[in-house]
């Protein structure tokens, strides 16, 4: 049975990145480069995926997990040598094998599928994925004969002046007849200046044997970008970001300024939501329809339901239900759960707390480790005092309660439904329904005492 296989080359350290993080683990729009490649291979319905690891093998394997099998390249002796390490896993399989680098995050499943289809139609032993580069400097050139048949790949340093004028370049992605690939790998050597085994030597061997060698020219050169340094990483992020934003806009999301809107791969946003400029949306965030995400907001790993307004605020691992709003300049920390039609005003912070439907937390308030019911009014400057220096404690506030401004609720404490906390109170005892709690000393005026003060 014919199978589609893929080998991801991810063993290199990436010294030009100048980083302690291994190259393929650098992120493009929230996902590591190797994960982008893997996701597109999965979308192309590859039967067997093998990732060749070397430097940082454990880190790469932990990032990818069970989505791929792994082969270890203990010494980095070239691309051909890397593919050799997969023979025990793939060598006996009938079918085609795609070879792609783990530092090329912009390739798409559509391109991979077209490469496979072209390869099968031509009944080729190998098909090279090529593209037309505006500036081909540094790339291997695809040399064709008068009828368009691929003759060879010429590297920049070995190319004649005429060959350097060729703009069709080798992207470094290949589709092989699997068994012919591993048979040819046994015939290559490392008799070169680098002492390495090159995968391109396999192509030359197959050509010499009279096998069909073809090249499929893809339309979008940007897809072929390999990332070798931080400049290229920034360029890849920019291209991927535009791809993400364009897809969201085509599906009904309004972006006021896409150039300053930074959305990670995998984020979902519903129709008729408006995203203003200078917004960052990261991780596994899901945003519903008819929302407004205001300028300067930052949202990470959060769930936003329909009709929510977020104005210049920060959310992380939080959830906001239908019709709620927040901001400006407020912060939802992990496990903040904001109910329907809740108002969180400016300069508020909520952590590990549920706030029930219709409740209002207007401004300058901290709500931590708490459960608030429906239709509560929380005044300005209220603090839910949840930490005693050793442990966190919980506060409960019942429906329709009123918490006056500048009050401190010292947990653990229960504020009953319909009770009233007077402004400026420090509450340490539970209240009952319809109680009014006042915990402040009576005002005393000291006549003429101000004259004794140093100011």
């Amino acid at each position: 049975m014919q199978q589609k296989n893929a080998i991801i080359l991810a063993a290199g350290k990436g010294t030009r990145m100048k980083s302690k993080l291994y190259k393929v683990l650098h992120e493009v729009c929230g996902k590591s480069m190797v994960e982008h490649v893997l996701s597109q291979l999965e979308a192309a319905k590859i039967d067997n995926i093998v990732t060749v690891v070397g430097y940082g093998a454990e880190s790469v394997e932990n990032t990818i997990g069970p989505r791929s099998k792994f082969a270890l390249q203990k010494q980095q002796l070239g691309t051909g040598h890397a593919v050799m390490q997969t023979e025990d896993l793939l060598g006996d399989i009938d079918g085609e094998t795609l070879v792609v680098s783990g530092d090329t995050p912009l390739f798409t499943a559509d391109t991979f599928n077209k490469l496979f289809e072209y390869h099968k139609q031509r009944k080729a032993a190998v098909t090279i994925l090529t593209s037309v580069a505006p500036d081909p400097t540094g790339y291997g050139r695809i040399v064709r004969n008068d009828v368009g048949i691929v003759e060879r790949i010429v590297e920049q340093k070995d190319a004649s002046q005429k060959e350097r004028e060729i703009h069709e370049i080798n992207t470094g992605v290949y589709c092989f007849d699997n068994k012919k690939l591993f048979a040819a790998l046994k015939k290559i050597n490392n008799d070169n200046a680098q002492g390495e085994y090159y995968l391109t030597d396999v192509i030359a061997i197959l050509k010499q044997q009279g096998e069909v060698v073809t090249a499929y020219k893809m339309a979008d050169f940007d897809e072929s970008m390999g990332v070798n340094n931080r400049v290229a990483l920034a360029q890849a992020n920019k291209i991927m970001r535009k791809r993400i934003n364009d897809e969201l806009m085509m599906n009904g999301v309004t972006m006021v300024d896409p150039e300053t809107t930074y959305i990670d791969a995998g984020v979902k946003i519903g129709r008729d939501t408006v995203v203003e400029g200078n917004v960052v949306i990261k991780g596994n965030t899901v945003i519903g329809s008819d929302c407004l995400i205001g300028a300067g907001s930052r949202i990470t790993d959060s769930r936003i339901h329909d009709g929510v307004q977020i104005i210049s605020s920060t959310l992380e691992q939080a959830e906001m239900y239908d019709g709620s709003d927040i901001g400006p300049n407020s912060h939802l920390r992990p496990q903040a759960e904001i109910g329907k039609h809740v108002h969180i005003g400016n300069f508020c912070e909520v952590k590990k707390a549920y706030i029930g439907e219709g409740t209002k937390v207007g401004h300058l308030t901290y709500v931590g480790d708490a459960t608030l019911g429906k239709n509560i009014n929380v005044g300005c400057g209220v603090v839910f005092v949840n930490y005693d220096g050793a442990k966190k404690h919980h506060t409960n506030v019942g429906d329709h309660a009123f918490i006056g401004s500048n009050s401190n609720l010292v947990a653990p404490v229960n504020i009953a439904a319909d009770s009233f906390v007077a402004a400026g109170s420090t509450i340490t005892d539970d209240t009952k329904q319809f109680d009014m709690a006042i915990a402040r000393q009576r005002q005393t005026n000291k006549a003429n005492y101000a004259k004794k003060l140093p100011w």
Side-chain angles (χ1 to χ4, degrees):
M1 179 180 175
Q2 297 283 309
Q3 294 189 16
K4 291 165 67 175
N5 313 294
I7 299 170
I8 304 175
L9 304 181
K13 186 176 182 180
T15 54
R16 282 180 284 176
M17 295 297 289
K18 301 291 193 298
S19 175
K20 58 182 176 294
L21 185 66
Y22 301 105
K23 180 168 69 167
V24 298
L25 297 183
H26 281 267
E27 290 190 349
V28 172
C29 292
K31 288 170 60 176
S32 67
M33 292 193 286
V34 70
E35 286 181 284
H36 279 291
V37 175
L38 183 58
S39 294
Q40 295 306 311
L41 291 173
E42 290 169 336
K45 302 191 182 308
I46 303 297
D47 297 301
N48 304 294
I49 301 174
V50 179
T51 303
V52 182
V53 294
Y55 286 106
E58 184 177 353
S59 296
V60 177
E61 290 178 18
N62 288 339
T63 297
I64 293 175
R67 298 167 66 188
S68 171
K69 297 177 181 177
F70 298 95
L72 178 63
Q73 187 185 23
K74 293 180 180 179
Q75 291 181 285
Q76 277 61 63
L77 299 176
T79 52
H81 180 260
V83 175
M84 289 177 191
Q85 311 312 305
T86 70
E87 184 171 10
D88 288 345
L89 296 169
L90 299 176
D92 295 330
I93 296 175
D94 290 318
E96 298 84 36
T97 295
L98 183 77
V99 180
V100 59
S101 175
D103 64 0
T104 53
L106 300 175
F107 281 117
T108 64
D110 182 62
T111 294
F112 291 151
N113 283 329
K114 287 177 179 177
L115 175 61
F116 273 114
E117 186 61 30
Y118 186 91
H119 177 82
K120 291 177 68 175
Q121 288 176 354
R122 298 301 189 276
K123 298 180 180 179
V126 58
T127 301
I128 308 157
L129 182 62
T130 73
S131 188
V132 176
D135 179 6
T137 304
Y139 290 95
R141 310 301 205 278
I142 303 299
V143 180
R144 297 177 183 262
N145 64 17
D146 293 340
V147 294
I149 296 173
V150 175
E151 290 289 331
R152 63 189 183 277
I153 302 171
V154 180
E155 297 303 322
Q156 168 86 19
K157 63 181 182 299
D158 300 321
S160 66
Q161 184 57 45
K162 184 177 180 180
E163 289 168 339
R164 291 186 180 193
E165 294 173 1
I166 296 171
H167 282 255
E168 184 181 6
I169 57 95
N170 176 22
T171 67
V173 176
Y174 311 95
C175 186
F176 289 95
D177 176 285
N178 188 63
K179 288 189 174 179
K180 290 178 180 179
L181 165 63
F182 287 102
L185 280 169
K186 292 180 170 61
K187 299 179 181 180
I188 67 174
N189 59 58
N190 63 343
D191 186 18
N192 53 63
Q194 301 298 323
E196 295 184 349
Y197 297 88
Y198 296 130
L199 189 57
T200 48
D201 288 349
V202 170
I203 298 170
I205 288 170
L206 293 172
K207 185 77 174 177
Q208 292 166 6
Q209 292 175 347
E211 299 283 0
V212 177
V213 175
T214 63
Y216 172 70
K217 189 188 300 182
M218 67 179 191
D220 185 1
F221 170 71
D222 285 342
E223 277 193 43
S224 67
M225 176 184 290
V227 175
N228 292 310
N229 55 47
R230 305 298 181 112
V231 174
L233 184 66
Q235 292 171 340
N237 269 281
K238 185 175 182 178
I239 294 167
M240 182 68 77
R241 186 165 65 246
K242 184 178 187 305
R243 185 185 295 176
I244 292 167
N245 290 355
D246 286 353
E247 182 178 357
L248 288 168
M249 288 188 288
M250 292 300 294
N251 282 288
V253 176
T254 294
M255 292 188 188
V256 175
D257 186 6
E259 290 292 322
T260 62
T261 302
Y262 306 88
I263 300 177
D264 276 357
V267 168
K268 295 178 175 60
I269 304 178
R271 292 182 179 181
D272 295 315
T273 285
V274 177
V275 182
E276 295 182 344
N278 292 310
V279 165
V280 177
I281 306 175
K282 299 179 67 64
N284 298 314
T285 296
V286 178
I287 298 175
S289 301
D290 302 299
C291 296
L292 171 63
I293 312 301
S297 295
R298 183 181 182 92
I299 305 171
T300 304
D301 294 325
S302 295
R303 176 70 191 270
I304 311 302
H305 295 252
D306 297 339
V308 172
Q309 293 195 15
I310 299 170
I311 307 300
S312 304
S313 292
T314 298
L315 284 70
E316 47 185 332
Q317 299 175 41
E319 186 163 11
M320 294 184 69
Y321 287 89
D322 296 355
S324 57
D325 68 275
I326 185 171
N329 303 308
S330 285
H331 187 184
L332 298 186
R333 291 169 57 193
Q335 300 181 59
E337 193 173 350
I338 309 304
K340 292 183 179 180
H341 307 293
V342 168
H343 168 66
I344 306 292
N346 53 301
F347 298 101
C348 295
E349 182 176 337
V350 181
K351 185 229 48 161
K352 199 177 180 182
Y354 173 79
I355 300 179
E357 182 175 353
T359 289
K360 295 178 173 58
V361 183
H363 32 212
L364 299 163
T365 289
Y366 170 68
V367 182
D369 293 277
T371 301
L372 281 68
K374 298 179 180 179
N375 300 312
I376 297 165
N377 185 85
V378 180
C380 176
V382 171
V383 177
F384 283 66
V385 185
N386 59 330
Y387 184 50
D388 65 7
K391 295 180 180 180
K392 300 289 181 68
H393 302 281
H394 200 81
T395 296
N396 295 300
V397 182
D399 297 345
H400 308 289
F402 184 98
I403 312 300
S405 297
N406 200 36
S407 294
N408 299 307
L409 306 183
V410 182
V413 69
N414 297 297
I415 308 300
D418 301 299
S419 60
F420 188 105
V421 174
S425 296
T426 295
I427 302 300
T428 58
D429 296 326
D430 295 352
T431 68
K432 296 179 181 179
Q433 190 175 18
F434 302 119
D435 280 354
M436 183 175 75
I438 304 174
R440 62 187 185 222
Q441 189 172 2
R442 286 284 183 178
Q443 179 176 330
T444 301
N445 294 338
K446 302 290 186 179
N448 297 315
Y449 194 83
K451 295 178 180 179
K452 300 179 180 180
L453 298 177
W455 55 270

